Amino acid sequence: MKMGFLGAGKMGEAMIAALIRAGAVRPGDVLASDVSPARRRHLAMKYRVRVGAENPLVARSARALFLAVKPQDLERVLAEIAPAMSRKRLVISIAAGRTTAWIEKRLPQARVIRVMPNLACAVGEGMSVCCLGRRAAPADARTVRRLLACFGRVLRLPERLFDAVTALSGSGPAFFAYVLDRMADAATREGIRRADALLLAEQTMLGAAKALLEGGADPLDFIRAVASPKGATAAGLAVLDASPIGDILGRAIRAAARRSKELARG
Ligand SMILES: NC(=O)c1ccc[n+]([C@@H]2O[C@H](COP(=O)([O-])OP(=O)(O)OC[C@H]3O[C@@H](n4cnc5c(N)ncnc54)[C@H](OP(=O)(O)O)[C@@H]3O)[C@@H](O)[C@H]2O)c1
């Protein structure tokens, strides 16, 4: 299947790389477009895909078309490709805040699926959430889930939850990196070198997430299982429990969701 990518920036490249790596598409079947000559050269050299500057050409040739430009550039790009989209193509948008209805209005023939991925796609551990537009069929959902599974996990949720999804899994990698940085910093004050502290914190975060995902335990049961009474973990947890950290994390998620809603209104 010929796949098109409008916008070959960080996310466009991460998806192209993952899909080729997984064998879901051959490099010769990937068509991408980007305004940046440097990006075009980079993609063509690194992945041997066809990259140009013409969005309508990509839109016309691809059976599945990924919209991977910034949300503020999407209106212009859709106006440019609309005349080339006379057939009922599958359009997969990853643009934050742009609803399926907003895209369908601008591409009246397209079968639209909206996806909120995250940057961990680049390392095959992405979390993508998808929802279907009015014209998308169950077969389209299956196609998109199969493609998204090439770079991580996939969940289908109602579109009304997308601002919350953006806050949790879209912005989440930055929030976890923030916590990780502060924990590593604290460990340097206990005498560990920063590089070692970062490795310890990163691998521990990865391991805890993996144990929770694969073990299926509730996080609170997991905590009870690892914290022996009066032990070191319990002493640290007592500080966390006595702090407003739950409230602070709640406010961070709420702020990100609110901002996502504002961005959607343009
Ligand atoms: N990054 C994330 O973690 C993340 C997570 C979830 C969803 N998303 C969504 O993914 C989309 C892409 O994000 P990104 O981080 O990959 O952005 P990015 O790195 O800026 O990539 C966008 C690319 O599109 C190019 N572009 C701009 N105008 C264009 C046009 N008219 N035609 C063709 N190409 C054009 C840009 O070139 P210039 O740089 O020269 O303008 C850039 O190379 C966004 O809509 C964002 O909301 C991103």
Side-chain angles (χ1 to χ4, degrees):
M1 171 166 47
K2 286 217 172 356
M3 275 184 222
F5 292 81
L6 302 183
K10 290 183 286 296
M11 290 302 293
E13 178 174 358
M15 292 190 295
I16 290 171
L19 291 167
I20 291 176
R21 203 168 42 231
V25 67
R26 287 193 303 256
D29 285 335
V30 173
L31 300 110
S33 56
D34 200 285
V35 284
S36 155
R39 291 299 298 163
R40 295 201 294 268
R41 268 196 308 277
H42 168 73
L43 268 280
M45 294 272 290
K46 186 159 182 191
Y47 304 100
R48 306 277 158 210
V49 297
R50 288 187 276 165
V51 203
E54 284 200 51
N55 293 327
L57 187 70
V58 174
R60 226 184 338 266
S61 316
R63 272 188 52 208
L65 182 67
F66 283 86
L67 305 178
V69 294
K70 289 275 189 214
Q72 62 270 27
D73 295 320
L74 196 57
E75 175 111 60
R76 193 156 35 97
V77 168
L78 295 189
E80 225 182 295
I81 65 166
M85 297 282 291
S86 52
R87 294 220 333 264
K88 293 181 179 161
R89 284 177 206 291
L90 175 58
V91 170
I92 304 153
S93 170
I94 65 162
R98 296 299 182 211
T99 63
T100 52
W102 187 92
I103 297 166
E104 284 168 342
K105 199 168 142 199
R106 287 155 181 84
L107 299 177
Q109 302 283 340
R111 298 166 357 244
V112 179
I113 293 193
R114 180 178 170 194
V115 177
M116 174 48 63
N118 66 22
L119 211 57
C121 289
V123 291
E125 291 293 349
M127 182 68 238
S128 300
V129 178
C130 64
C131 68
L132 272 61
R134 276 182 312 122
R135 286 185 291 270
D140 297 324
R142 283 195 294 277
T143 302
V144 170
R145 289 187 76 126
R146 180 175 56 78
L147 297 177
L148 298 177
C150 294
F151 39 81
R153 291 179 191 246
V154 195
L155 185 66
R156 184 171 159 190
L157 286 175
E159 190 160 18
R160 64 184 159 74
L161 297 178
F162 262 53
D163 293 318
V165 164
T166 303
L168 184 56
S169 57
S171 308
F175 299 157
F176 283 120
Y178 185 96
V179 171
L180 201 145
D181 176 72
R182 297 304 133 99
M183 285 179 69
D185 235 24
T188 61
R189 289 195 290 277
E190 301 297 321
I192 304 181
R193 285 188 320 148
R194 170 123 180 123
D196 293 339
L198 275 177
L199 173 65
L200 264 63
E202 285 162 0
Q203 180 59 30
T204 302
M205 188 177 276
L206 181 69
K210 205 165 177 190
L212 279 164
L213 269 170
E214 290 178 6
D218 182 89
L220 292 180
D221 292 336
F222 179 82
I223 290 171
R224 274 189 284 274
V226 297
S228 43
K230 300 210 172 106
T233 308
L237 285 168
V239 175
L240 293 178
D241 272 343
S243 79
I245 192 162
D247 180 51
I248 291 169
L249 291 174
R251 279 166 39 208
I253 295 287
R254 210 167 311 129
R258 202 177 310 123
R259 183 67 188 134
S260 166
K261 199 170 279 161
E262 283 167 10
L263 289 171
R265 281 193 226 109

